[in-house]
Amino acid sequence: MIRNFKRTAAVFGVVAVSSAALVACGDSSESTDSADSSAEASAESTDGAEGTGAELSGETGQLVAEGATSQQNAMDYFASRYAEEVPGATLAYNATGSGSGIKQFLGNTVAFAGSDSPLKDGEVEKAAERCGGNEAWHLPFVIGPVAIAYNLEGVDELNLTVDNIVDIFQGKITNWNDPALAESNPDAELPDQEIKPFFRSDESGTSDNFQKFLAAASDGKWTGEGKAFPSEVGTGANGSSGVASEVAATEGAITYVEAGFAEKKANIDFGSGPVELTDEAVAAALDSMEFTTEGHNMAVDAEALFSSDAEGAYPLVLTTYEIVCSAGYDETTSNMVKDFLNVALDSQDEELAGEGFIPVTGAHADRLREAVNAIQ
């Protein structure tokens, strides 16, 4: 269940990236030998790694990764679980942003990168070189739904169509008792009150994905794009906590923000009736995800996801990838990457949901497990 949970502003300690990180790549023949050795080690040893649903190698040491800030709280939780399941193993995740994480991954200074967006065309070839001539995989691991948060006294349930949302953030609907909003909420008494939109003033993956959603779901009525949100309508605030705080303090306010920051969340009509933001609704959207890549490389087709209107599904989600080498790691790094990601898959629980993320289940969880276990 998604809770009305507001993340704290506490800064989590991060271990600095070390030049001695376990991230070396070998050539393809070494990769094959490593895969064979890894399989033998996995079959023979699960010392200190008994509490999970996957068989772990028990490899110890420090695993270094870097990237998206959007998944930092999830990675902190996964890291604590990893240390419990594999005594002597730790994760150092440096939350410097998606771009920096990809740069460090391509430079072979971290084992994997966290990114809110897939690799660009020019980065795919560089990633293959970094992985010893092997494909880099996008694993959509951390799912953070984006909510439409609002502050409207006396209105505990609000329904909005995609067109309503577009018109509000384009300044075409400016009052809560607008006839278009009344039509979407026949059972609610909407006040004669000014709508006060808030948007992210900083560049963010959330703004980027929200604009992609608006464009895809509205058949192009929204024309903005990129990490910088248009500033012509509404008021800007810095970061997710900034827009959430402004909405909480401002009567009549509305914003887009990760679900963990939202108090009141609007139901969204994606085309088949209003959908409440729940674990089940997000899972329904994830199960039908399409990809622009093949096999275990799962770069999400964002346009197809955001334009979907399946009944009961909530497709407005921020998907954060773990970008990994499919092969080419040395044996130690391969074992640690697989152990960490398997522990993360076994930690899709209420504590993760309490941080505002959606635990992955069903078909998507199965896809991820198969991919993790196929890493060499």
Side-chain angles (χ1 to χ4, degrees), residues 65-72 93-102 104 110 112-116 320-322:
E66 185 167 341
T69 59
S70 58
Q71 67 170 0
Q72 179 173 357
Y93 182 72
N94 199 4
T96 56
S98 299
S100 179
I102 289 174
Q104 296 303 322
V110 299
F112 65 89
S115 177
D116 294 330
T320 303
Y321 300 98
E322 311 317 327

CSV table of all heavy atoms in Angstrom, one decimal, residues 65-72 93-102 104 110 112-116 320-322:
chain,number,residue,atom,x,y,z
A,65,ALA,N,28.8,2.1,-6.8
A,65,ALA,CA,27.9,2.5,-7.9
A,65,ALA,C,27.6,4.0,-7.7
A,65,ALA,O,27.9,4.6,-6.7
A,65,ALA,CB,26.6,1.7,-7.8
A,66,GLU,N,27.1,4.6,-8.7
A,66,GLU,CA,26.8,6.0,-8.7
A,66,GLU,C,25.7,6.4,-9.6
A,66,GLU,O,25.4,5.7,-10.6
A,66,GLU,CB,28.1,6.8,-9.2
A,66,GLU,CG,28.0,8.3,-9.1
A,66,GLU,CD,29.4,9.0,-9.2
A,66,GLU,OE1,30.4,8.3,-9.0
A,66,GLU,OE2,29.4,10.2,-9.5
A,67,GLY,N,25.0,7.5,-9.3
A,67,GLY,CA,23.9,7.9,-10.2
A,67,GLY,C,22.8,8.7,-9.6
A,67,GLY,O,23.0,9.5,-8.7
A,68,ALA,N,21.6,8.4,-10.1
A,68,ALA,CA,20.4,9.1,-9.8
A,68,ALA,C,20.1,9.4,-8.4
A,68,ALA,O,20.2,8.5,-7.5
A,68,ALA,CB,19.2,8.4,-10.5
A,69,THR,N,19.7,10.6,-8.1
A,69,THR,CA,19.4,10.9,-6.7
A,69,THR,C,18.0,10.4,-6.4
A,69,THR,O,17.6,10.2,-5.2
A,69,THR,CB,19.4,12.5,-6.5
A,69,THR,OG1,18.5,13.1,-7.4
A,69,THR,CG2,20.8,13.0,-6.7
A,70,SER,N,17.1,10.2,-7.4
A,70,SER,CA,15.8,9.8,-7.2
A,70,SER,C,15.7,8.5,-6.5
A,70,SER,O,14.7,8.2,-5.8
A,70,SER,CB,15.0,9.7,-8.5
A,70,SER,OG,15.7,8.8,-9.4
A,71,GLN,N,16.7,7.6,-6.6
A,71,GLN,CA,16.6,6.3,-6.0
A,71,GLN,C,17.5,6.2,-4.7
A,71,GLN,O,17.7,5.1,-4.2
A,71,GLN,CB,17.0,5.2,-7.0
A,71,GLN,CG,18.5,5.3,-7.4
A,71,GLN,CD,18.9,4.0,-8.2
A,71,GLN,OE1,18.1,3.1,-8.5
A,71,GLN,NE2,20.1,4.0,-8.6
A,72,GLN,N,18.0,7.3,-4.2
A,72,GLN,CA,19.0,7.2,-3.1
A,72,GLN,C,18.4,6.5,-1.9
A,72,GLN,O,19.1,5.7,-1.3
A,72,GLN,CB,19.5,8.6,-2.7
A,72,GLN,CG,20.5,8.6,-1.6
A,72,GLN,CD,21.1,9.9,-1.3
A,72,GLN,OE1,20.9,10.9,-1.9
A,72,GLN,NE2,21.9,9.9,-0.2
A,93,TYR,N,27.0,3.8,-2.7
A,93,TYR,CA,26.2,4.4,-3.8
A,93,TYR,C,26.3,5.9,-3.6
A,93,TYR,O,25.9,6.5,-2.7
A,93,TYR,CB,24.7,4.0,-3.7
A,93,TYR,CG,24.0,4.6,-4.9
A,93,TYR,CD1,24.1,4.1,-6.2
A,93,TYR,CD2,23.1,5.7,-4.7
A,93,TYR,CE1,23.4,4.7,-7.3
A,93,TYR,CE2,22.4,6.2,-5.8
A,93,TYR,CZ,22.6,5.7,-7.0
A,93,TYR,OH,21.9,6.3,-8.1
A,94,ASN,N,27.0,6.5,-4.6
A,94,ASN,CA,27.2,8.0,-4.7
A,94,ASN,C,26.1,8.6,-5.5
A,94,ASN,O,26.1,8.5,-6.7
A,94,ASN,CB,28.6,8.3,-5.3
A,94,ASN,CG,29.1,9.6,-4.9
A,94,ASN,OD1,28.5,10.4,-4.2
A,94,ASN,ND2,30.2,10.0,-5.5
A,95,ALA,N,25.1,9.3,-4.8
A,95,ALA,CA,24.0,9.9,-5.5
A,95,ALA,C,24.3,11.3,-6.1
A,95,ALA,O,24.0,12.3,-5.5
A,95,ALA,CB,22.8,10.0,-4.6
A,96,THR,N,25.0,11.3,-7.2
A,96,THR,CA,25.4,12.5,-7.8
A,96,THR,C,24.6,12.9,-9.0
A,96,THR,O,24.8,14.0,-9.6
A,96,THR,CB,26.9,12.4,-8.3
A,96,THR,OG1,27.0,11.3,-9.2
A,96,THR,CG2,27.8,12.2,-7.1
A,97,GLY,N,23.6,12.1,-9.4
A,97,GLY,CA,22.8,12.4,-10.6
A,97,GLY,C,23.0,11.4,-11.7
A,97,GLY,O,24.1,10.8,-11.8
A,98,SER,N,22.0,11.3,-12.5
A,98,SER,CA,22.1,10.3,-13.6
A,98,SER,C,23.3,10.5,-14.5
A,98,SER,O,24.0,9.5,-14.9
A,98,SER,CB,20.8,10.3,-14.4
A,98,SER,OG,19.7,10.0,-13.6
A,99,GLY,N,23.5,11.7,-15.0
A,99,GLY,CA,24.5,12.0,-15.9
A,99,GLY,C,25.9,11.7,-15.4
A,99,GLY,O,26.7,11.1,-16.1
A,100,SER,N,26.1,12.0,-14.1
A,100,SER,CA,27.4,11.7,-13.5
A,100,SER,C,27.6,10.2,-13.4
A,100,SER,O,28.7,9.7,-13.6
A,100,SER,CB,27.5,12.4,-12.2
A,100,SER,OG,28.8,12.1,-11.6
A,101,GLY,N,26.5,9.5,-13.0
A,101,GLY,CA,26.6,8.1,-12.8
A,101,GLY,C,27.0,7.4,-14.1
A,101,GLY,O,27.8,6.5,-14.1
A,102,ILE,N,26.3,7.8,-15.2
A,102,ILE,CA,26.6,7.2,-16.5
A,102,ILE,C,28.1,7.5,-16.9
A,102,ILE,O,28.8,6.6,-17.4
A,102,ILE,CB,25.7,7.7,-17.6
A,102,ILE,CG1,24.3,7.1,-17.4
A,102,ILE,CG2,26.2,7.4,-19.0
A,102,ILE,CD1,23.2,7.7,-18.3
A,104,GLN,N,30.7,7.9,-14.9
A,104,GLN,CA,31.6,7.1,-14.2
A,104,GLN,C,31.5,5.6,-14.6
A,104,GLN,O,32.5,4.9,-14.6
A,104,GLN,CB,31.2,7.2,-12.7
A,104,GLN,CG,31.4,8.6,-12.1
A,104,GLN,CD,32.8,9.1,-12.2
A,104,GLN,OE1,33.8,8.4,-12.1
A,104,GLN,NE2,32.9,10.4,-12.5
A,110,VAL,N,33.0,2.7,-11.7
A,110,VAL,CA,31.9,2.2,-10.8
A,110,VAL,C,31.4,0.9,-11.5
A,110,VAL,O,31.5,0.7,-12.7
A,110,VAL,CB,30.8,3.2,-10.6
A,110,VAL,CG1,31.2,4.4,-9.9
A,110,VAL,CG2,30.0,3.5,-11.9
A,112,PHE,N,28.1,-0.2,-11.5
A,112,PHE,CA,26.9,0.1,-12.3
A,112,PHE,C,26.5,1.5,-12.0
A,112,PHE,O,26.9,2.1,-11.1
A,112,PHE,CB,25.8,-0.9,-12.0
A,112,PHE,CG,25.3,-0.9,-10.5
A,112,PHE,CD1,24.2,-0.1,-10.2
A,112,PHE,CD2,25.8,-1.7,-9.6
A,112,PHE,CE1,23.8,0.0,-8.9
A,112,PHE,CE2,25.4,-1.7,-8.3
A,112,PHE,CZ,24.3,-0.9,-7.9
A,113,ALA,N,25.6,2.0,-12.9
A,113,ALA,CA,25.1,3.3,-12.8
A,113,ALA,C,23.6,3.3,-12.6
A,113,ALA,O,22.9,2.5,-13.1
A,113,ALA,CB,25.4,4.1,-14.1
A,114,GLY,N,23.1,4.3,-11.8
A,114,GLY,CA,21.7,4.5,-11.6
A,114,GLY,C,21.3,5.7,-12.5
A,114,GLY,O,21.9,6.7,-12.4
A,115,SER,N,20.2,5.5,-13.3
A,115,SER,CA,19.9,6.6,-14.2
A,115,SER,C,18.3,6.6,-14.4
A,115,SER,O,17.7,5.6,-14.6
A,115,SER,CB,20.5,6.4,-15.6
A,115,SER,OG,20.1,7.4,-16.5
A,116,ASP,N,17.8,7.9,-14.4
A,116,ASP,CA,16.4,8.0,-14.7
A,116,ASP,C,16.0,7.9,-16.2
A,116,ASP,O,14.9,7.9,-16.6
A,116,ASP,CB,15.9,9.4,-14.2
A,116,ASP,CG,16.0,9.5,-12.7
A,116,ASP,OD1,15.8,8.5,-12.0
A,116,ASP,OD2,16.2,10.6,-12.2
A,320,THR,N,13.7,4.2,-12.7
A,320,THR,CA,15.1,4.4,-12.6
A,320,THR,C,15.8,3.1,-12.9
A,320,THR,O,15.5,2.0,-12.3
A,320,THR,CB,15.5,4.9,-11.1
A,320,THR,OG1,14.8,6.1,-10.8
A,320,THR,CG2,17.0,5.1,-11.1
A,321,TYR,N,16.8,3.2,-13.8
A,321,TYR,CA,17.5,2.0,-14.2
A,321,TYR,C,18.8,1.8,-13.4
A,321,TYR,O,19.5,2.7,-13.0
A,321,TYR,CB,17.9,2.1,-15.7
A,321,TYR,CG,16.8,2.3,-16.7
A,321,TYR,CD1,16.5,3.6,-17.1
A,321,TYR,CD2,16.1,1.3,-17.2
A,321,TYR,CE1,15.5,3.8,-18.1
A,321,TYR,CE2,15.1,1.5,-18.2
A,321,TYR,CZ,14.8,2.7,-18.6
A,321,TYR,OH,13.8,2.9,-19.5
A,322,GLU,N,19.1,0.5,-13.2
A,322,GLU,CA,20.5,0.1,-12.9
A,322,GLU,C,21.1,-0.3,-14.2
A,322,GLU,O,20.6,-1.3,-14.9
A,322,GLU,CB,20.5,-1.0,-11.9
A,322,GLU,CG,19.6,-0.9,-10.7
A,322,GLU,CD,19.6,0.5,-10.0
A,322,GLU,OE1,20.7,1.2,-10.0
A,322,GLU,OE2,18.6,0.9,-9.5
